Amino acid sequence: VFDNNYYLDLQNNTTLLTSDQSLYSNSADTEDIVDSFASNQTVFFENFILGMLKMGQLDVLTGSEGEIRTNCSIANADSSYYQQIIESIVGPEEQSQSSQST
């Protein structure tokens, strides 16, 4: 069932991952969001829909245009190492074809 129980679990300190629990336990900013979503499933659904719509508008980089980041919030200084990894998995031909089709 897709519902807001995840946020109720955060309030009850019964989440599986400590990193998830920190959303409620370690931040006043996100604690308010957790409380809002836990107390009102409709608010959670509305915000989930808005988040999915925003994600759908992102221009995803594929093939040689994208990169596998070592730190998700920072672009790699030199992506040639990761480029070699990608090419060894998908091959340079497939990678260039996927970048041309986007």
Side-chain angles (χ1 to χ4, degrees), residues 23-51:
L23 289 171
Y24 191 67
S25 306
N26 297 338
S27 173
D29 295 330
T30 54
E31 183 179 337
D32 291 341
I33 296 169
V34 169
D35 287 337
S36 174
F37 291 170
S39 65
N40 189 332
Q41 185 164 275
T42 301
V43 170
F44 163 65
F45 285 152
E46 288 170 350
N47 280 273
F48 181 84
I49 291 167
L50 290 174

Side-chain angles (χ1 to χ4, degrees), residues 3 5 8 31 48 62 96:
D3 57 21
N5 278 332
L8 296 168
E31 183 179 337
F48 181 84
T62 62
S96 63

Side-chain angles (χ1 to χ4, degrees), residues 7 10 33 50 60 74:
Y7 299 97
L10 287 171
I33 296 169
L50 290 174
V60 177
I74 302 170

Side-chain angles (χ1 to χ4, degrees), residues 44-77:
F44 163 65
F45 285 152
E46 288 170 350
N47 280 273
F48 181 84
I49 291 167
L50 290 174
M52 293 302 288
L53 290 171
K54 285 181 182 180
M55 285 177 52
Q57 295 173 357
L58 295 174
D59 291 326
V60 177
L61 301 177
T62 62
S64 61
E65 295 176 353
E67 70 180 5
I68 300 171
R69 293 185 176 185
T70 56
N71 180 336
C72 292
S73 62
I74 302 170
N76 296 328

